[in-house]
Amino acid sequence: QSVLTQPPSASGTPGQRVTISCSGSSSNIGTNYVYWYRQLPGTAPRLVIYRNNERPSGVPDRFSGSKSGTSASLAISGPRSEDEADYYCAAWDGSLSAVIFGGGTKLTVL
Amino acid sequence: QLQLQESGPGLVKPSETLSLICAVSGGSISSNLYYWGWIRQPPGKGLEWIGGISYTGNTYYKSSLKSRVTISADTSKNEFSLKLTSMTAADAAVYYCGTGQHLDYFDYWGQGTLVTVSA
């Protein structure tokens, strides 16, 4: 079981706003930055959000991140078919002295 | 633009040592801009951080793997490596190398290399 908890699946239509949650604790999300990765089938993960809510260059602005207390969320406004992928949250855990990942959420675009 | 490429055996026998190399191009591993790390993903499962190395040579390992892992850097070849001893079936995974400006994230990844553990 992962230290960061994500729902196993999420879905939405291109006209909706889809949100994926990530729940942690005071030793990880509560005190450190949250990162989000998108992994298309058969490919390496790609960073889509860093430092809670920043977008790397080249990531569409339909992706946004937020953090409150010991939880974080990734939102995708108007998901496209190419956004169908697994999404992972990640953070440094000060108690474990390690990078930890959530279990991943599979996004389906209906 | 940084590019990373993993290389190593695709098949390892149980109890043997896995040795993987990550070749870096488009930047220097001795640059003070980056940390370098290894992540793995068992088939059909999630991501697991193995450890990393800083530009100063400091190493950081996941505690449950610490007794079996060594990450090192070869600045002359601009590459870094992973050694994982006493391999078991539980270590079978796609192994990725990655880099980021801090230890806690990766904004460049290698394509990954599948490692199978079997006699």
PDB file of all heavy atoms in Angstrom, chain A residues 8 22 35 53 60 71:
ATOM      1  N   PRO A   8      -8.226   4.748  -7.532  1.00  0.00           N
ATOM      2  CA  PRO A   8      -7.677   3.934  -8.621  1.00  0.00           C
ATOM      3  C   PRO A   8      -8.116   4.375 -10.002  1.00  0.00           C
ATOM      4  O   PRO A   8      -7.408   4.136 -10.988  1.00  0.00           O
ATOM      5  CB  PRO A   8      -8.177   2.523  -8.309  1.00  0.00           C
ATOM      6  CG  PRO A   8      -9.320   2.719  -7.386  1.00  0.00           C
ATOM      7  CD  PRO A   8      -9.064   3.961  -6.614  1.00  0.00           C
ATOM      8  N   CYS A  22      -5.043  13.293  -3.920  1.00  0.00           N
ATOM      9  CA  CYS A  22      -3.864  12.619  -3.385  1.00  0.00           C
ATOM     10  C   CYS A  22      -3.791  12.969  -1.899  1.00  0.00           C
ATOM     11  O   CYS A  22      -3.615  14.137  -1.543  1.00  0.00           O
ATOM     12  CB  CYS A  22      -2.614  13.085  -4.114  1.00  0.00           C
ATOM     13  SG  CYS A  22      -1.048  12.399  -3.510  1.00  0.00           S
ATOM     14  N   TYR A  35       4.218  16.735  -6.480  1.00  0.00           N
ATOM     15  CA  TYR A  35       4.481  16.652  -7.912  1.00  0.00           C
ATOM     16  C   TYR A  35       3.484  15.692  -8.535  1.00  0.00           C
ATOM     17  O   TYR A  35       3.032  14.744  -7.889  1.00  0.00           O
ATOM     18  CB  TYR A  35       5.913  16.164  -8.168  1.00  0.00           C
ATOM     19  CG  TYR A  35       6.953  17.057  -7.522  1.00  0.00           C
ATOM     20  CD1 TYR A  35       7.363  16.846  -6.216  1.00  0.00           C
ATOM     21  CD2 TYR A  35       7.481  18.141  -8.216  1.00  0.00           C
ATOM     22  CE1 TYR A  35       8.286  17.692  -5.606  1.00  0.00           C
ATOM     23  CE2 TYR A  35       8.405  18.991  -7.621  1.00  0.00           C
ATOM     24  CZ  TYR A  35       8.796  18.761  -6.318  1.00  0.00           C
ATOM     25  OH  TYR A  35       9.694  19.603  -5.712  1.00  0.00           O
ATOM     26  N   ASN A  53       1.822  23.487  -7.796  1.00  0.00           N
ATOM     27  CA  ASN A  53       0.917  24.094  -8.775  1.00  0.00           C
ATOM     28  C   ASN A  53       1.609  24.720  -9.974  1.00  0.00           C
ATOM     29  O   ASN A  53       0.989  25.485 -10.725  1.00  0.00           O
ATOM     30  CB  ASN A  53       0.060  25.159  -8.087  1.00  0.00           C
ATOM     31  CG  ASN A  53       0.893  26.203  -7.354  1.00  0.00           C
ATOM     32  OD1 ASN A  53       2.075  26.360  -7.640  1.00  0.00           O
ATOM     33  ND2 ASN A  53       0.298  26.888  -6.405  1.00  0.00           N
ATOM     34  N   PRO A  60       0.153  21.713 -21.223  1.00  0.00           N
ATOM     35  CA  PRO A  60      -1.006  22.579 -21.510  1.00  0.00           C
ATOM     36  C   PRO A  60      -1.613  23.181 -20.246  1.00  0.00           C
ATOM     37  O   PRO A  60      -1.566  22.565 -19.165  1.00  0.00           O
ATOM     38  CB  PRO A  60      -1.993  21.616 -22.175  1.00  0.00           C
ATOM     39  CG  PRO A  60      -1.161  20.498 -22.699  1.00  0.00           C
ATOM     40  CD  PRO A  60      -0.030  20.349 -21.744  1.00  0.00           C
ATOM     41  N   SER A  71      -3.410  17.181   1.793  1.00  0.00           N
ATOM     42  CA  SER A  71      -3.981  16.657   0.548  1.00  0.00           C
ATOM     43  C   SER A  71      -3.642  17.552  -0.617  1.00  0.00           C
ATOM     44  O   SER A  71      -3.398  18.753  -0.449  1.00  0.00           O
ATOM     45  CB  SER A  71      -5.507  16.537   0.662  1.00  0.00           C
ATOM     46  OG  SER A  71      -5.874  15.563   1.612  1.00  0.00           O
TER      47      SER A  71
END
